[in-house]
Amino acid sequence: MHQFISVFDMLKIGVGPSSSHTLGPWRAAQNWIQKLKNENLFVEVNSIKVDLYGSLSLTGKGHATDLAVALGLSGTDPEFIPIDDIEGIIELIKKNNKLQFDATQTLDFSMSSIVFNREFLPFHANGLTFRGFDKSNKEISTETYYSIGGGFVIQEGNQNKNLEETQKTFPYPINKAVDLDRYCKEQQKSISEIVFENETVLNSPDEIYDKLDNIWNTMLECMYIGCHTEGILPGGLNVKRRAFSTHEKLIKDTTYNGIEEWISGIRGTEVKFREILKWVSCLALAVNEVNASLGRVVTAPTNGSAGVIPAVLMYYMVIENHNATIEHVRKFLLTAGEIGSLFKKNATISAAMGGCQAEIGVSSAMAAAALTELLGGTPSQCLEASEIAMEHHLGLTCDPIGGLVQIPCIERNAMGAIKAINAAELALERNPEDAVVPLDKVIETMWETAKDMNRNYKETSEGGLAITVGLADC
């Protein structure tokens, strides 16, 4: 048996600011509604209480966890909800103390029905429990879910049920980086080609292309919006958006109409080293400023690290290869997704479990490998690039000030993107057989580091910058 995680599990379209604290709880609410319907209990529910535990409670306000739960209970979907509708739905709940449960029946409900509990549940730091009551106030449904990072959700009782398939199901069953490397060498194929063949078991080639193209278009739109939006981010830290002014200085007097002309315009700008650094940073900042304002992003592999992969891919498109096509984009995303799955299977992509090394570190490792393939690197060099990127994120803490995905989270995306590009260049200049540390070992090390890390540095806002820099300082 082996665990299969699709590229489309690692790269998901959703709403910010957090995959584990926003997207996961949102999905958990949807899952609970479906369970109620399966058990013929949905119409019996007259009132609801939701308990948030651990990290979901400690940083839930800053991550809009309560809003995400309310939106999920309202029957909306994070991939498709019009962003402009979010504020209106929440305001109606607050004003009327009513909830349109799955958009079909009206229940008495206030935001105080979502309770923040500091204690941690045993299985995972991100736990939440839904309780449904009938008209006599009898509790008829109690279900606990865990948001385990990257928008993945597990129901209580199913913690040990992995996404398993028999080895005969997929042509190339992959649990470790060494498996991936071996298949590439035996078949004389790139990482993206191996991954694509596995994905065809679940979807037709055209469906795979459509999904990859949709992911890239969402990333592009996110970068574009971020670069063209100014102002102050919500949340109370008074963080000024930086992508707008940086982009304005870089794009200069270039004229364009729409995203495609914008890409061409960037290709025509000055590309000295400092400008390249600024462009990559600007694009990463743009994505995570959109994320911080409850905008639509691609979880890659999390919302807090959503800016790294699009910034690095855009770097390839507008700096390295002006003739890049959608085929290059697809290869990049396939390779990046597979690298992310290796970390998901063998460590964690949850900052509440592993600190920010599990988010920015993993996204940088994903981007490094994908960029290396597009730059002509061998599969072994791609894995080496991934190892280099993660090696230099080991031990990175998660300490968001005020529990908001803003400081230091937004800037860390810029740093993760730059490290990914540097890791790719380092890997391309070395024979991977000379490498001392294989990717599997650095993944193992990351997981051991995560287990040793003090809980205060795992998305609790009880250590690091979250303590030394108070809200009053902002």
Side-chain angles (χ1 to χ4, degrees):
M1 301 290 286
H2 87 285
Q3 186 181 6
F4 181 79
I5 300 176
S6 170
V7 167
F8 304 111
D9 292 321
M10 298 306 305
L11 305 173
K12 296 187 285 287
I13 299 171
V15 172
S18 170
S19 51
S20 60
H21 287 58
T22 313
L23 181 57
W26 197 324
R27 292 296 187 200
Q30 291 178 300
N31 290 353
W32 182 54
I33 288 172
Q34 188 57 53
K35 186 170 179 61
L36 287 171
K37 291 181 177 180
N38 293 343
E39 297 177 350
N40 297 315
L41 292 172
F42 178 78
V43 296
E44 302 298 323
V45 174
N46 186 64
S47 61
I48 297 168
K49 178 184 176 184
V50 184
D51 286 289
L52 307 178
Y53 295 97
S55 181
L56 287 186
S57 173
L58 293 171
T59 61
K61 284 291 184 182
H63 288 80
T65 304
D66 51 344
L67 306 187
V69 168
L71 290 164
L73 293 174
S74 299
T76 63
D77 188 281
E79 183 173 352
F80 302 108
I81 183 174
I83 297 300
D84 292 340
D85 289 357
I86 291 176
E87 184 177 356
I89 294 171
I90 297 300
E91 286 305 311
L92 279 176
I93 293 172
K94 290 179 177 179
K95 178 182 177 181
N96 301 323
N97 288 327
K98 300 285 186 182
L99 175 76
Q100 295 300 314
F101 192 31
D102 198 32
T104 59
Q105 61 187 64
T106 304
L107 304 182
D108 290 332
F109 182 88
S110 70
M111 295 304 293
S112 63
S113 301
I114 303 172
V115 180
F116 292 79
N117 303 278
R118 293 181 63 85
E119 62 264 34
F120 284 67
L121 298 182
F123 175 69
H124 194 281
N126 295 331
L128 68 165
T129 299
F130 295 89
R131 305 180 196 278
F133 303 85
D134 64 14
K135 290 182 179 179
S136 66
N137 207 34
K138 176 184 176 183
E139 193 167 332
I140 58 174
S141 175
T142 303
E143 299 294 342
T144 296
Y145 296 85
Y146 299 99
S147 178
I148 60 174
F152 288 87
V153 175
I154 293 179
Q155 185 178 351
E156 180 91 284
N158 293 338
Q159 297 98 308
N160 296 320
K161 293 182 179 180
N162 291 324
L163 302 171
E164 293 183 341
E165 302 284 349
T166 65
Q167 292 194 6
K168 295 180 181 178
T169 304
F170 297 92
Y172 307 112
I174 300 164
N175 279 329
K176 302 277 189 178
V178 67
D179 300 328
L180 180 57
D181 195 34
R182 183 178 71 254
Y183 293 134
C184 289
K185 289 175 178 175
E186 289 175 351
Q187 301 299 319
Q188 291 295 294
K189 292 181 177 180
S190 65
I191 291 177
S192 62
E193 288 173 326
I194 292 292
V195 178
F196 180 82
E197 290 195 31
N198 276 343
E199 291 290 340
T200 58
V201 174
L202 303 178
N203 293 286
S204 70
D206 286 344
E207 288 172 330
I208 294 170
Y209 296 146
D210 287 345
K211 289 184 176 184
L212 291 172
D213 296 354
N214 191 30
I215 287 169
W216 174 234
N217 288 333
T218 303
M219 288 179 170
L220 266 179
E221 183 179 29
C222 188
M223 287 185 281
Y224 189 82
I225 290 172
C227 284
H228 294 84
T229 305
E230 57 183 332
I232 304 296
L233 293 173
L237 293 184
N238 295 316
V239 175
K240 185 177 180 180
R241 292 174 181 261
R242 296 158 67 182
F244 179 88
S245 59
T246 302
H247 174 265
E248 197 172 46
K249 293 173 186 175
L250 290 168
I251 203 70
K252 297 178 180 175
D253 57 355
T254 303
T255 59
Y256 52 90
N257 182 23
I259 293 177
E260 291 303 318
E261 289 186 12
W262 178 58
I263 292 174
S264 297
I266 296 173
R267 286 171 172 165
T269 61
E270 193 172 27
V271 289
K272 293 179 181 178
F273 182 68
R274 289 185 66 199
E275 279 68 31
I276 293 172
L277 286 176
K278 289 176 184 178
W279 267 120
V280 173
S281 298
C282 174
L283 296 166
L285 294 174
V287 171
N288 284 82
E289 287 173 355
V290 171
N291 178 63
S293 54
L294 275 76
R296 178 161 286 113
V297 300
V298 175
T299 301
T302 67
N303 283 30
S305 61
V308 175
I309 286 173
V312 174
L313 179 47
M314 191 69 157
Y315 158 80
Y316 178 79
M317 299 279 289
V318 300
I319 303 296
E320 285 295 332
N321 183 3
H322 288 190
N323 297 315
T325 67
I326 192 63
E327 292 301 324
H328 294 93
V329 171
R330 292 167 180 169
K331 290 178 181 179
F332 187 102
L333 296 176
L334 286 167
T335 298
E338 185 62 34
I339 297 299
S341 77
L342 293 175
F343 283 92
K344 173 79 174 105
K345 293 170 187 175
N346 298 291
T348 182
I349 58 169
S350 166
M353 291 294 286
C356 202
Q357 61 172 355
E359 296 202 19
I360 294 295
V362 173
S363 62
S364 185
M366 293 165 68
L371 178 61
T372 302
E373 178 170 319
L374 293 192
L375 293 176
T378 66
S380 295
Q381 286 176 318
C382 293
L383 299 177
E384 174 67 4
S386 181
E387 184 281 323
I388 293 171
M390 173 50 74
E391 183 178 321
H392 299 290
H393 281 95
L394 288 174
L396 185 61
T397 59
C398 181
D399 48 356
I401 296 174
L404 295 161
V405 190
Q406 296 182 17
I407 305 172
C409 320
I410 295 174
E411 235 175 44
R412 280 184 179 166
N413 280 265
M415 300 303 294
I418 295 299
K419 282 187 179 181
I421 295 169
N422 197 14
E425 294 297 341
L426 288 171
L428 287 166
E429 292 301 317
R430 181 164 71 174
N431 184 337
E433 293 182 4
D434 295 333
V436 176
V437 183
L439 178 56
D440 286 328
K441 286 296 181 182
V442 87
I443 294 175
E444 179 184 344
T445 303
M446 179 205 140
W447 182 226
E448 292 302 318
T449 304
K451 289 187 286 186
D452 288 340
M453 188 180 289
N454 187 294
R455 193 176 74 182
N456 289 348
Y457 301 102
K458 296 179 180 180
E459 209 167 2
T460 61
S461 287
E462 294 186 325
L465 287 174
I467 294 299
T468 58
V469 180
L471 292 176
D473 298 309
C474 301

